[in-house]
Amino acid sequence: MCAHYETVRRTRDKFHEIFDAEWPVQEPKPDMWPAYEGLFIRRPPELESADEAVPAREAVVGRWGWYPP
């Protein structure tokens, strides 16, 4: 399994067009290794609230890698 990934390198407009999500406030690092912070696209936890103002997807910066349970 590969442990090194590169983040999406797109302009903010192209990012929104492809993923239908706003660019995160925190700038993601271009390289991702285990335990580094990287860019994730997810469904917001508030999506189930039926609030039309909540987007279907959001881009967030988070830490990833293999962690014991």
Side-chain angles (χ1 to χ4, degrees):
M1 175 178 209
C2 184
H4 174 245
Y5 298 94
E6 292 184 19
T7 59
V8 176
R9 297 177 191 263
R10 304 274 187 222
T11 64
R12 293 172 192 257
D13 292 337
K14 193 68 169 172
F15 183 88
H16 186 269
E17 179 184 326
I18 293 170
F19 297 108
D20 192 26
E22 296 298 324
W23 191 260
V25 175
Q26 182 181 351
E27 190 72 24
K29 293 181 179 181
D31 291 310
M32 293 174 42
W33 293 91
Y36 276 31
E37 292 184 342
L39 183 63
F40 293 89
I41 299 170
R42 68 176 188 181
R43 290 181 177 211
E46 303 84 13
L47 187 63
E48 302 300 322
S49 70
D51 184 354
E52 293 180 10
V54 176
R57 295 183 191 99
E58 67 180 354
V60 295
V61 175
R63 191 169 304 225
W64 71 279
W66 291 95
Y67 292 97

